């Protein structure tokens, strides 16, 4: 939850942004597979992983993709952010740190 918006992934291949007070959908972002990780929000960007092997960075207000990073296998771990670096694990047995 960030700034009154709840962000969550689904087995329907979407990340959702829902108004925490009204329950109304603000936007949804489609991936190519399930979204099992819990998203992290920092500086207006939502970071989350997908079973499609990508970590995504999406604009928190609009739901527009900023960038994605491809790994060799599923990204089910929830990202953590510290000092402008996004940390996450992949089922390819690697821990990643992205600026």
């Amino acid at each position: 939850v960030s700034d009154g918006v709840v962000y969550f992934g689904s087995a329907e291949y979407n990340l959702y942004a829902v108004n925490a007070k009204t329950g109304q959908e603000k936007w949804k972002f489609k991936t190519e597979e399930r979204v099992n990780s819990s998203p992290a929000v920092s500086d207006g960007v939502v970071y989350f992983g997908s079973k499609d092997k990508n970590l995504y960075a999406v604009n928190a207000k609009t739901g527009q993709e900023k960038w994605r990073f491809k790994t060799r296998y599923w990204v089910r771990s929830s990202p953590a952010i510290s000092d402008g670096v996004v940390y996450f694990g992949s089922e390819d047995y690697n821990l990643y740190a992205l600026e």
Side-chain angles (χ1 to χ4, degrees):
V1 179
S2 179
D3 292 328
V5 180
V6 179
Y7 300 95
F8 61 94
S10 76
E12 301 169 333
Y13 305 2
N14 291 309
L15 178 78
Y16 291 94
V18 175
N19 183 296
K21 289 183 182 176
T22 67
Q24 184 173 31
E25 180 181 301
K26 294 176 66 72
W27 53 259
K28 66 181 172 185
F29 179 86
K30 185 83 166 169
T31 68
E32 296 175 24
E33 256 293 353
R34 292 176 183 221
V35 177
N36 291 331
S37 78
S38 296
V41 183
S42 178
D43 295 327
V45 180
V46 184
Y47 301 94
F48 66 98
S50 172
K51 200 173 173 185
D52 68 6
K53 306 176 187 173
N54 287 295
L55 178 85
Y56 290 91
V58 174
N59 183 294
K61 290 191 185 296
T62 66
Q64 294 295 314
E65 181 177 328
K66 294 177 73 63
W67 54 261
R68 69 176 76 179
F69 179 84
K70 185 84 162 182
T71 68
R72 291 189 314 248
Y73 214 64
W74 306 339
V75 179
R76 290 197 288 189
S77 75
S78 299
I81 305 158
S82 179
D83 294 328
V85 178
V86 181
Y87 299 91
F88 70 99
S90 171
E91 299 254 344
D92 66 6
Y93 303 107
N94 288 296
L95 174 66
Y96 294 89
L98 306 177
E99 289 189 296

